[in-house]
Amino acid sequence: DRTGFGMMMLSLRAELRLLERLAGETLTECGPELLTPPGHRLGAMNFFVREMLGALFLGDDDEVIALIDAASGAVALGPMRLYAQDFHFCAALALLKRAELERARPYVDRFLSWGAHATHNFGPRMRLVEAEVARVEGRGADASRGYDAAVSLARAVGSLGDAGLAS
């Protein structure tokens, strides 16, 4: 159907932008604004979250924070909750990496509350966010244990990207 096609196109465009960033060259200009009529809001959120994850994995915290502001209104809307966990994880981690604990707190709290109900899905990321909070609060030993736990859990479930972020 048309909505599914639009979502697929946005997803592919987000993947292309990540590849462009890795290659260091622009192959196309695209963004969520190309497919954001009401029937494609889910695809637009998918685009934002994939962009955020790509920027996070590349260490581009400035880009993640710019995307937080751009996507914040969309994340609260109905079907966008499907991507809200990834959105809150990226936002929390990018802000914590900058030691902006107060600004990160709503994202941290929301992400950890969801994760508490599905630790099998969120375990490595939960440990990573908790470790970053401990680091920002000056609890070095807790942070170190948290990073180690995040890496171990991520490797155990085959989530190499999360293991890399926690390393």
Side-chain angles (χ1 to χ4, degrees):
D1 78 349
R2 209 175 163 141
T3 300
F5 178 74
M7 287 173 43
M8 183 177 67
M9 289 298 297
L10 278 172
S11 179
L12 291 171
R13 286 185 173 142
E15 298 292 333
L16 177 62
R17 290 203 26 181
L18 176 58
L19 291 173
E20 289 173 341
R21 291 178 63 138
L22 289 170
E25 60 184 84
T26 300
L27 304 173
T28 182
E29 288 297 321
C30 62
E33 65 281 351
L34 297 178
L35 287 173
T36 53
H40 293 105
R41 287 186 304 183
L42 181 59
M45 192 62 207
N46 180 12
F47 181 89
F48 278 117
V49 168
R50 285 178 177 269
E51 284 278 302
M52 290 176 80
L53 285 167
L56 191 65
F57 284 120
L58 291 172
D60 189 350
D61 300 328
D62 291 335
E63 179 70 10
V64 176
I65 291 169
L67 288 163
I68 291 169
D69 297 332
S72 287
V75 80
L77 301 174
M80 269 48 100
R81 287 185 298 228
L82 179 64
Y83 298 103
Q85 295 89 352
D86 284 335
F87 175 83
H88 282 75
F89 170 71
C90 291
L93 204 56
L95 291 166
L96 288 168
K97 285 170 72 178
R98 292 180 162 207
E100 294 184 35
L101 183 58
E102 291 308 311
R103 187 170 172 203
R105 184 57 71 188
Y107 302 109
V108 169
D109 292 346
R110 177 67 61 93
F111 180 74
L112 293 178
S113 72
W114 286 324
H117 299 288
T119 55
H120 57 283
N121 291 335
F122 298 105
R125 288 183 173 188
M126 287 176 60
R127 297 296 85 79
L128 178 54
V129 168
E130 290 166 344
E132 281 292 308
V133 169
R135 180 191 62 80
V136 172
E137 291 177 343
R139 297 181 288 117
D142 290 338
S144 182
R145 282 191 296 276
Y147 294 129
D148 290 344
V151 169
S152 295
L153 282 170
R155 286 182 179 157
V157 298
S159 181
L160 298 180
D162 289 340
L165 284 174
S167 298

